[in-house]
Amino acid sequence: MRDRELPVPTRDVERRISTRETAELLGVKPETVYAYVSRGQLSSRREPGGRGSTFDPHEVEALARRNGRGAGGSSSAAGDFSVRTRITLIDQDRYYFRGVDATELAARHSYEEIAEWLWTGRLRPGVTFTAPEASVAPARRAVDALPEHSSPTDRLRVAAIAAAAADPLRFDLSESAVLGTARTLIPTLVAALAPVRHDHRDEGPLAHRLWARLTGRSPDEVSLRALDTALGLLVDHDLAASTLAVRVAASARAHAYAAVSAGLGVLEGPLHGAASGLAHRLLLEVLDRGTAVPVIADELRAGRRVPGLGHRLYPGEDPRARALFALLAEVPHAAPALAAAQDVAATAARHTPLHANVDLALAVLTVASGMPSTAGETVFAVARTAGWIAHTLEEYGERPLRMRPSGHYVGARPPQPLPGG
């Protein structure tokens, strides 16, 4: 099932443009072009045997458009900016990892295989990630010391910090070193979580090990495949808020553990990684009351957004939700939760034309599997760590500290008298 060969990405071979051509397109002097380069707004490359710098015409066009939107036609580092990436493309209600349909990848390949594809552009069939005891032991001790009510993200963030402290080579930012860190950090995060099932075995695919830390139920093949597919679908989603935080940290040359910690800090917000927990509790209430109508009415009456519906990047259906719902239809005991999710979407559609998103699909998985409401947050965080590593590696290849926007000061103009005087 998970054996399709994938193409290896190739370098762009289209013509690059000279400094003079770049200056003409931007309507500036050549000296200003190099100022853009120094500020990280353009990247240049000197071709072998060439006498001057060359530029990517698409990047120049994007900068020209941004300049045109700026006040008075001037460019500002604080304005709207984009980040060049070869990792994820979201386009017309579909999304792609390195040009390959992400939902097809998740259907045919394991989470670990997708992570390797995202990091290297190469597929490693059958790869599994394992963590050395030297990394797991301090992470477990640190997590065990937390209060019992600590959130999953609290636990994962502490585990990442503990693993970093145990790694004297964490400041090696070479690609091979960061890949080595990634392949041990992700399983360390999972191993640091307390297992619910005491007959678990910390071996095999990551999804199997994670299952034992989310529910006490015995897993079946279809449910394990649903969890593994959910991990694969959630690996990356372009520049989400947490991913942007990761890239800012990597731009400052923070090591990979610190970059992941930055992402985990942002992920904890209710509008990001914790959103599936809200959808989980919504489904439980619908199941308890037998219909979504009064539940949705209560949400709207309170002025709350109905969780699990709509996504700003997908005017139509969230492709991650569509893929996960299709697989959940085969999961034993998932029918009631699926019906509740369909009831939520249909009832809300009378008020606003929103489609179910991946948070609602993930909530169906967690409810049907007897997992707590926080389980979706754990799945999301573990899955997205692979994407954060991919963005960290990509950012290490860019100019350091390029993500330094300038503040647009709107306070009192100086000089002002000293306070209290």
Side-chain angles (χ1 to χ4, degrees):
M1 180 182 67
R2 299 176 181 267
D3 57 359
R4 195 181 73 164
E5 292 295 325
L6 299 176
V8 176
T10 58
R11 293 182 178 271
D12 296 331
V13 295
E14 62 184 46
R15 187 182 77 86
R16 295 173 65 83
I17 59 178
S18 67
T19 303
R20 181 182 59 78
E21 292 172 308
T22 300
E24 289 176 355
L25 282 172
L26 295 173
V28 298
K29 297 178 179 179
E31 294 82 1
T32 305
V33 172
Y34 291 108
Y36 288 139
V37 173
S38 68
R39 291 199 296 263
Q41 294 173 273
L42 274 181
S43 58
S44 64
R45 188 171 74 202
R46 190 176 293 274
E47 302 295 340
R51 299 180 58 185
S53 298
T54 63
F55 299 84
D56 180 343
H58 298 297
E59 187 181 18
V60 174
E61 289 171 8
L63 178 59
R65 287 194 298 271
R66 294 199 299 274
N67 286 354
R69 289 200 298 266
S74 62
S75 174
S76 170
D80 181 28
F81 71 94
S82 61
V83 176
R84 298 193 332 146
T85 179
R86 290 181 172 84
I87 298 172
T88 300
L89 169 67
I90 299 174
D91 184 46
Q92 297 182 349
D93 291 338
R94 299 178 71 180
Y95 73 123
Y96 307 83
F97 295 154
R98 292 185 177 271
V100 177
D101 189 289
T103 59
E104 292 184 18
L105 272 172
R108 290 172 166 81
H109 297 282
S110 72
Y111 166 71
E112 291 98 321
E113 290 170 345
I114 295 171
E116 288 285 345
W117 171 252
L118 214 62
W119 297 336
T120 68
R122 295 184 297 275
L123 198 66
R124 296 178 61 197
V127 64
T128 57
F129 299 153
T130 57
E133 186 62 21
S135 176
V136 172
R140 279 180 175 163
R141 286 195 298 269
V143 170
D144 289 344
L146 291 173
E148 188 175 345
H149 63 268
S150 300
S151 73
T153 308
D154 285 334
R155 297 174 185 274
L156 293 172
R157 191 163 58 240
V158 166
I161 294 169
D167 182 3
L169 303 180
R170 62 187 179 276
F171 297 104
D172 184 348
L173 305 187
S174 64
E175 181 176 351
S176 60
V178 174
L179 287 173
T181 294
R183 292 170 184 138
T184 59
L185 174 57
I186 294 174
T188 294
L189 295 179
V190 173
L193 300 174
V196 181
R197 289 177 52 84
H198 298 292
D199 60 344
H200 74 286
R201 299 175 65 183
D202 277 338
E203 57 186 35
L206 193 85
H208 295 201
R209 286 171 270 163
L210 182 58
W211 178 276
R213 287 159 169 83
L214 298 176
T215 178
R217 290 188 185 177
S218 298
D220 56 82
E221 183 180 348
V222 180
S223 295
L224 287 173
R225 184 154 55 92
L227 178 57
D228 187 46
T229 299
L231 288 167
L233 290 168
L234 292 168
V235 161
D236 191 58
H237 207 231
D238 195 31
L239 290 182
S242 57
T243 305
L244 182 57
V246 167
R247 293 199 73 130
V248 170
S251 177
R253 294 305 182 257
H255 55 70
Y257 299 94
V260 167
S261 295
L264 287 168
V266 176
L267 192 71
E268 198 168 14
L271 301 181
H272 197 7
S276 66
L278 301 177
H280 178 109
R281 289 188 284 272
L282 181 79
L283 289 184
L284 288 181
E285 189 173 357
V286 172
L287 289 169
D288 182 58
R289 299 177 72 169
T291 174
V293 173
V295 179
I296 299 301
D298 289 345
E299 294 293 315
L300 297 177
R301 186 179 299 117
R304 292 189 295 263
R305 180 174 177 267
V306 180
L309 298 178
H311 195 289
R312 61 188 297 266
L313 298 181
Y314 299 116
E317 193 173 11
D318 184 336
R320 302 168 299 174
R322 182 173 60 246
L324 194 50
F325 277 136
L327 189 53
L328 287 167
E330 305 173 22
V331 171
H333 314 300
L338 267 174
Q342 292 165 352
D343 193 9
V344 166
T347 302
R350 305 176 195 173
H351 171 73
T352 181
L354 296 176
H355 296 275
N357 62 32
V358 72
D359 296 315
L360 190 62
L362 192 56
V364 171
L365 172 62
T366 57
V367 168
S369 304
M371 298 175 183
S373 62
T374 56
E377 184 178 342
T378 305
V379 173
F380 197 109
V382 170
R384 192 56 57 88
T385 300
W388 293 336
I389 293 291
H391 283 274
T392 296
L393 281 166
E394 194 171 61
E395 190 59 37
Y396 285 161
E398 299 287 351
R399 175 178 169 272
L401 293 174
R402 71 189 181 115
M403 294 191 180
R404 175 56 172 91
S406 299
H408 178 56
Y409 181 75
V410 295
R413 301 302 303 175
Q416 295 289 321
L418 287 172

